Amino acid sequence: QVQLVESGGGLVQAGGSLRLSCSASGRSDSVAVTGWFRRAPGKEREFVVSISRSGGTTYNYDSMKGRFSISRDAAKNTVYLQMNNLKPEDTAVYYCAASSNNVWNYWGQGIQVTVSS
């Protein structure tokens, strides 16, 4: 089992920045890929970005590459999502997820990010 805990969310004004953290414990050595998803009010959950153990990244939208960046600190078993120039449409609950066999096996509890206009 892998446990994931998100932190760093909150309320920010449009144009501001936040950094989310996802800390893994348990069998974190079995995790091949860690990703971030989000669910905006009234919408389906969507994939945002992921990072592999080797550092390879995948973004859902090219437009996110300029504002969002993902990184990992292997020593701390933590993955970060740096979000800059936030927009009201980025308001959502953000979830960290981990995959060990091409399936998103493990999920965090989610953390709220609210961007005010």
Side-chain angles (χ1 to χ4, degrees):
Q1 291 290 333
V2 176
Q3 294 77 43
L4 302 173
V5 178
E6 301 102 335
S7 61
L11 173 65
V12 64
Q13 289 188 332
S17 299
L18 282 174
R19 188 178 78 159
L20 304 183
S21 299
C22 173
S23 297
S25 60
R27 289 288 311 278
S28 57
D29 59 330
S30 68
V31 173
V33 182
T34 304
W36 289 96
F37 292 72
R38 68 184 184 184
R39 188 195 306 270
K43 295 187 177 181
E44 297 291 319
R45 184 173 62 194
E46 66 173 353
F47 168 75
V48 177
V49 63
S50 65
I51 187 167
S52 69
R53 291 178 67 91
S54 62
T57 59
T58 301
Y59 289 81
N60 189 6
Y61 304 114
D62 286 341
S63 62
M64 286 181 173
K65 291 181 180 179
R67 299 192 300 121
F68 291 7
S69 65
I70 190 170
S71 61
R72 64 189 294 263
D73 185 333
K76 295 182 178 180
N77 289 325
T78 300
V79 169
Y80 304 98
L81 178 63
Q82 178 68 44
M83 304 184 293
N84 299 324
N85 190 23
L86 283 162
K87 304 176 181 181
E89 51 264 42
D90 294 318
T91 293
V93 177
Y94 284 72
Y95 298 89
C96 177
S99 168
S100 58
N101 56 354
N102 297 316
V103 175
W104 294 107
N105 314 78
Y106 307 103
W107 293 84
Q109 78 284 359
I111 193 163
Q112 179 70 46
V113 170
T114 303
V115 184
S116 62
S117 57

